[in-house]
Amino acid sequence: MIRESESWREMDWCLSQPKIELHAHLNGSIRDSTLLELAGVLGEKGIIVFKDVEHVILKNNRSLKEVFKLFDLIHILTTDHATVTRITKEVVEDFAAENVVYVELRTTPKRSESIGMSKRSYMEAVIDGLRAVNTIDVAFLPSDMGLKNSVRSPLIDNGTTRRKIYVRLLLSIDRRESTAAAMETVQLALEMRDLGVVGIDLSGNPVIGEWETFLPALTFAKEQGLPVTLHCGEVPNRTEVQSMLDFLPQRIGHACCFEEEEWAKLKSSRIPVEICLTSNIRTESVSSINSHHFVDLYNAEHPLVLCTDDAGVFSTSISREYLLAASTLGLGEREMFTLARNAINFVFADDVVKNDLRKIFVSAAEKLEL
Ligand code: 6MZ
């Protein structure tokens, strides 16, 4: 147990050190205040009953099933171009405010004929959100596009260094989708590589859909050199977990429900794991923080990265995830810093970005006197 004063000091540390976020769903990272405001507007228009949704938004403990019900509600509230742009801007601002220096934001491109939304126009609205951030420097274009194409190239504002955040995008395939729809998402990702799309994610309710449905699109992504990350083992499903590990994705998320054989396979493959502590505990995919597989993977020096999953839905933040990990394992500042810095090796962006991130961590280490 850590004392309260120590916990505050450690929280300050977790906040001040640079961090890399690799598993954050756009619509799961929305501020509660924004969701309530959007619900209020739809309530006034008579599209929803505000009182019915208010407690759903503010509820804290949700089962995995309830989380996906909440996503259905969130999607009703957020799926129009202007709102997608707004939430993207806010989510990036929130990560930057926590000293996240590189974030891979993932989102499921959506189609809605009634409002003229295609998967492409949805993604264009996301990119408009990146362009709309004006309080910090957002670098989202590939390095070889040159800084002249960046949102704002100079990092100097009124003589002081502006905060800078790298943002890259992953397009998610929802497990409710068909093979053709998954393929369309991969095609779109390939077409949008020049706009900062760096990979594909497979996510959605883990009790829905079959691995074989998504395999052709994921294989195509791999053949095209587009990195893939998979939600893997969020619920028990040995056959699927084994097929996913055999696929050799560039990263996996969660890895909660593995048996001995799968742990052995994972460890020998060295596939990096995106660890989402609060999410796993809230959804009861893992029974307690002390029995979380993070502990074993960390001690085994398996590649891993701490992530939020859905900071809004689970009322967490990346700094809190570091604090939680540190207090569970008794990590000191240097170990937390190393954990954050190691994530550079698992990002999907190019080497120019990776080298810049290394420099950012070197200069932060000096400032933090490590
Ligand atoms: C699996 C999840 C998830 O794509 O609309 N998503 N999929 N497991 C989880 N653990 C709790 N959390 C979020 O963001 C919301 C979507 O991300 C996926 C779900 O498909 C959800 O609908 P976007 O931006």
Side-chain angles (χ1 to χ4, degrees):
M1 275 298 277
I2 47 174
R3 286 199 304 275
E4 209 171 310
S5 58
E6 283 175 350
S7 153
W8 277 114
R9 217 190 49 221
E10 289 194 2
M11 188 58 185
D12 276 353
W13 171 268
C14 294
L15 209 58
S16 64
Q17 70 163 17
K19 290 169 289 296
I20 288 176
E21 166 65 85
L22 299 184
H23 188 133
H25 297 270
L26 176 63
N27 277 291
S29 307
I30 307 176
R31 301 172 186 164
D32 274 356
S33 56
T34 299
L35 272 185
L36 288 171
E37 186 191 319
L38 296 170
V41 173
L42 290 197
E44 273 165 25
K45 288 184 183 164
I47 298 172
I48 58 165
V49 179
F50 181 76
K51 281 238 158 310
D52 290 353
V53 302
E54 187 184 17
H55 69 279
V56 182
I57 292 171
L58 293 176
K59 190 173 175 201
N60 241 335
N61 277 343
R62 298 184 178 92
S63 66
L64 198 57
K65 202 171 155 200
E66 284 173 327
V67 164
F68 288 100
K69 268 201 196 144
L70 175 63
F71 279 124
D72 288 342
L73 169 64
I74 291 177
H75 290 144
I76 293 171
L77 300 177
T78 62
T79 307
D80 66 77
H81 294 108
T83 308
V84 169
T85 298
R86 171 186 173 176
I87 60 176
T88 306
K89 175 176 179 281
E90 290 179 355
V91 167
V92 170
E93 286 169 348
D94 290 349
F95 278 120
E98 279 208 78
N99 258 321
V100 169
V101 291
Y102 176 98
V103 54
E104 274 171 26
L105 210 48
R106 56 186 75 189
T107 193
T108 321
K110 295 166 187 70
R111 174 200 306 286
S112 171
E113 274 172 27
S114 61
I115 56 164
M117 178 181 278
S118 62
K119 285 190 173 187
R120 174 177 276 278
S121 74
Y122 174 92
M123 285 312 302
E124 284 166 351
V126 170
I127 289 163
D128 284 348
L130 302 181
R131 291 203 171 98
V133 180
N134 50 25
T135 47
I136 38 167
D137 226 29
V138 177
F140 67 93
L141 297 173
S143 307
D144 61 5
M145 302 285 290
L147 271 178
K148 70 178 181 353
N149 291 322
S150 183
V151 192
R152 242 176 307 280
S153 46
L155 294 183
I156 306 299
D157 184 25
N158 297 331
T160 54
T161 306
R162 278 167 63 89
R163 203 177 273 241
K164 174 181 176 180
I165 184 168
Y166 279 106
V167 182
R168 292 295 185 269
L169 300 170
L170 305 181
L171 301 201
S172 301
I173 295 167
D174 187 312
R175 295 182 63 112
R176 288 176 292 197
E177 290 185 294
S178 64
T179 303
M183 197 62 98
E184 190 193 347
T185 296
V186 174
Q187 278 291 0
L188 183 61
L190 291 169
E191 287 161 21
M192 298 189 96
R193 279 180 131 175
D194 285 354
L195 290 164
V197 174
V198 291
I200 290 290
D201 157 56
L202 174 67
S203 54
N205 192 335
V207 300
I208 294 176
E210 303 291 329
W211 167 246
E212 288 66 31
T213 308
F214 318 112
L215 188 56
L218 296 169
T219 305
F220 178 58
K222 217 175 180 193
E223 286 165 1
Q224 297 296 313
L226 198 58
V228 171
T229 176
L230 304 171
H231 279 61
C232 179
E234 226 178 340
V235 293
N237 186 341
R238 286 196 75 179
T239 323
E240 182 177 279
V241 167
Q242 299 225 354
S243 307
M244 285 183 166
L245 294 176
D246 288 341
F247 177 76
L248 290 178
Q250 274 71 15
R251 297 196 308 252
I252 58 169
H254 298 296
C256 302
C257 306
F258 279 32
E259 310 250 341
E260 275 315 308
E261 202 182 322
E262 287 86 74
W263 287 127
K265 209 174 210 178
L266 174 70
K267 284 178 184 169
S268 67
S269 72
R270 307 286 298 161
I271 297 169
V273 183
E274 302 152 359
I275 297 280
C276 308
L277 297 171
T278 302
S279 162
N280 295 158
I281 290 158
R282 289 273 167 86
T283 59
E284 293 176 356
S285 299
V286 170
S287 59
S288 77
I289 184 70
N290 291 319
S291 60
H292 197 286
H293 47 286
F294 161 72
V295 176
D296 176 56
L297 290 177
Y298 183 86
N299 289 330
E301 296 183 11
H302 188 84
L304 55 88
V305 48
L306 296 182
C307 305
T308 51
D309 202 7
D310 299 292
V313 168
F314 298 118
S315 309
T316 189
S317 67
I318 188 71
S319 305
R320 271 176 209 278
E321 297 302 301
Y322 273 83
L323 183 65
L324 195 54
S327 55
T328 307
L329 284 173
L331 301 183
E333 294 173 349
R334 198 179 290 269
E335 287 140 321
M336 276 194 264
F337 188 85
T338 304
L339 187 58
R341 191 187 52 203
N342 284 350
I344 299 173
N345 301 321
F346 323 133
V347 308
F348 289 168
D350 55 54
D351 285 345
V352 176
V353 176
K354 286 187 186 178
N355 286 334
D356 197 31
L357 291 173
R358 286 192 185 103
K359 283 186 201 148
I360 290 170
F361 274 82
V362 167
S363 94
E366 279 168 18
K367 271 196 207 123
L368 295 166
E369 297 177 359
L370 279 177

